[in-house]
Amino acid sequence: MADRTHLTGMTIDELIEFVRQLGEPSYRARQIFGGLHGRRLRAFEAMSDLPKAFRAKLSEMSTASALTVENRYVSEDGTRRYLMKTQDGQPVETVFIPTENRDTICFSSQSGCPLKCDFCLTAKLGLLRNLTAGEIVEQIIVVLNDVYGESAETPHGTNLVAMGAGEPFLNFEKLLKALSIMSEEQGLFIVPGRVTISTAGIVPKIYEFAKLDRRPNLAISLSAPTDELRDRLMPINKKWNLDELMTAAKAFEKTLKRGERFTFEYVLLGGVNDSDDHARQLVRLFEKHDLRRVKMNLIPHNRAEGLEYYPPTTERVIAFKETLESLGISAYVRTPRGRDIYAACGQLAAKTVESARFVALPMREAAG
Ligand code: SAH
């Protein structure tokens, strides 16, 4: 099957132009947009407010489901990992993380990833390709339909994080387009305030991002307090070093509104970057760049075969956190979720069934 135009990735204006070329009035575009995003339909057949002939025409020339769910894994802790494929066969992974107060969907911006972070399993895939805006949006639709039911209203308060596979700032345009589509009130209505973008440090994009109004929250993956160590762990540091990264972070900080903060993520690797000295060096780094409105998310390393690292002991994690806090930096330890099904940070490598504890449930696919 040749790739068909994926209407899920079109803005309302683009849909208006699309239906105009088919000789249809612009309200048809709004009906399609409402069907795709408001009702989260993945088949035109189901859009009962469109004439039958028009639905058939749409199905022939375009698609509302560019992703196929190959497998869904459910963790003991309720986390779900979706392994999907694009029309051209590239893997896409999305994770659903339920918590008591709110649910989070962690989506991918690329298939694979070009950055070679030494502690991350996704890096082993290399970059397969950038995802389209439609493929980004559809990940969210698939998960919402599965978790809440196909006809349930989109729940208010779901959070999105661009922390799946890929580097979001290397697919910046498509990501922003996807976010703008998802924020539409007639659609998913997930506003930027509920979204967090995580970057490994693509410095020029941090400046661009800082200029956006109505932008999502920002997280920067730091994981080392010195260039020497960061060069080794995250080779992107050779392109933009800590001085450049922190200068960009400061420029971003200046654009924060009152009360807002932003996040640094720090993967804790046992015996590598987890000493009290490292924590003190981090605080000095923040002081040097006059960064004040930051919080640290500490992520104990999630193991995966083929990676040479291991997580620190719980005592070390606590000591690291306390050292940061004693020096005035707020620090949080991220609870690992879905490790048993390869759904945790840094474990997304399109893995199929290998772990002993996963539960694989093939999903029913919408046609068309
Ligand atoms: N490329 C972007 C988006 C991915 S977010 C970025 O790097 O920010 C994924 C987060 O998980 C990053 O903070 C990354 O540093 C972290 N991570 C990668 N591998 C990990 C692992 N094995 N265990 C714990 N965290 C990991």
Side-chain angles (χ1 to χ4, degrees):
M1 179 180 75
D3 286 8
R4 286 173 293 164
T5 316
H6 187 204
L7 301 197
T8 316
M10 288 191 181
T11 61
I12 295 181
D13 285 347
E14 285 170 344
L15 277 175
I16 291 176
E17 179 55 24
F18 179 81
V19 300
R20 197 187 60 79
Q21 287 187 6
L22 299 176
E24 295 281 340
S26 61
Y27 70 84
R28 291 272 180 246
R30 293 186 192 284
Q31 286 174 313
I32 296 172
F33 192 91
L36 292 173
H37 305 282
R39 294 163 66 198
R40 302 193 309 268
L41 300 173
R42 294 175 67 223
F44 300 114
E45 250 334 287
M47 297 186 186
S48 43
D49 49 346
L50 298 176
K52 224 171 167 37
F54 185 50
R55 283 185 251 165
K57 192 165 169 186
L58 286 175
S59 305
E60 212 172 281
M61 61 188 308
S62 59
T63 182
S65 52
L67 298 177
T68 315
V69 181
E70 302 243 295
N71 260 310
R72 178 185 73 162
Y73 302 100
V74 182
S75 163
E76 286 179 338
D77 69 18
T79 301
R80 302 180 187 199
R81 177 168 68 98
Y82 300 80
L83 181 52
M84 313 193 220
K85 270 207 165 35
T86 61
Q87 292 187 88
D88 60 335
Q90 307 296 339
V92 177
E93 286 179 278
T94 317
V95 178
F96 172 76
I97 310 152
T99 61
E100 233 167 77
N101 310 322
R102 71 194 135 78
D103 295 334
T104 299
I105 298 173
C106 174
F107 67 94
S108 295
S109 53
Q110 299 181 309
S111 180
C113 183
L115 305 182
K116 299 191 164 25
C117 301
D118 209 33
F119 46 77
C120 179
L121 203 59
T122 312
K124 309 287 179 220
L125 292 176
L127 177 65
L128 299 167
R129 72 163 168 79
N130 276 338
L131 297 182
T132 63
E135 287 162 345
I136 294 175
V137 177
E138 200 178 331
Q139 291 176 61
I140 315 305
I141 292 176
V142 165
V143 174
L144 290 172
N145 284 347
D146 181 52
V147 174
Y148 302 106
E150 286 181 6
S151 50
E153 243 181 71
T154 300
H156 226 66
T158 304
N159 288 339
L160 297 188
V161 295
M163 297 187 186
E167 167 49 49
F169 278 1
L170 291 178
N171 192 18
F172 196 57
E173 301 296 317
K174 297 284 159 46
L175 176 79
L176 291 185
K177 185 176 183 194
L179 293 177
S180 132
I181 291 170
M182 290 194 279
S183 70
E184 289 286 350
E185 207 169 331
Q186 309 94 297
L188 295 172
F189 200 20
I190 300 177
V191 296
R194 306 216 73 99
V195 183
T196 300
I197 312 287
S198 176
T199 180
I202 310 297
V203 164
K205 295 293 176 206
I206 297 177
Y207 289 102
E208 268 186 59
F209 185 78
K211 284 194 215 131
L212 302 174
D213 44 74
R214 290 195 82 227
R215 64 170 182 231
N217 305 301
L218 180 67
I220 298 175
S221 297
L222 193 55
S223 296
T226 63
D227 280 320
E228 195 209 346
L229 184 55
R230 200 165 187 268
D231 279 353
R232 191 146 63 81
L233 299 178
M234 300 179 67
I236 191 72
N237 196 65
K238 293 181 192 153
K239 191 147 184 189
W240 293 288
N241 65 21
L242 277 175
D243 196 48
E244 291 166 297
L245 180 59
M246 292 295 133
T247 305
K250 181 65 199 176
F252 177 78
E253 189 187 76
K254 285 187 179 149
T255 69
L256 289 175
K257 297 201 188 76
R258 188 203 291 255
E260 280 180 344
R261 289 196 297 174
F262 72 108
T263 306
F264 282 104
E265 291 154 288
Y266 194 96
V267 184
L268 283 168
L269 307 165
V272 175
N273 66 355
D274 64 340
S275 71
D276 291 341
D277 259 349
H278 290 119
R280 284 190 284 269
Q281 285 173 332
L282 273 178
V283 176
R284 278 203 294 278
L285 183 68
F286 294 152
E287 281 169 359
K288 180 174 165 210
H289 290 272
D290 191 32
L291 286 160
R292 297 148 184 266
R293 294 164 69 179
V294 301
K295 55 183 177 199
M296 291 288 287
N297 266 353
L298 305 174
I299 319 175
H301 186 249
N302 295 307
R303 299 220 55 193
E305 71 244 45
L307 298 178
E308 302 291 310
Y309 300 94
Y310 55 90
T313 59
T314 308
E315 298 81 73
R316 185 87 299 276
V317 173
I318 294 170
F320 194 90
K321 171 179 151 68
E322 285 177 350
T323 306
L324 287 175
E325 284 177 333
S326 70
L327 296 167
I329 302 290
S330 332
Y332 304 86
V333 178
R334 193 183 288 170
T335 317
R337 299 292 303 266
R339 273 181 175 170
D340 55 337
I341 54 157
Y342 275 88
C345 295
Q347 293 189 318
L348 299 183
K351 276 201 176 281
T352 45
V353 190
E354 262 156 54
S355 137
R357 278 190 285 151
F358 68 81
V359 187
L361 301 168
M363 282 191 39
R364 188 169 53 83
E365 272 306 301

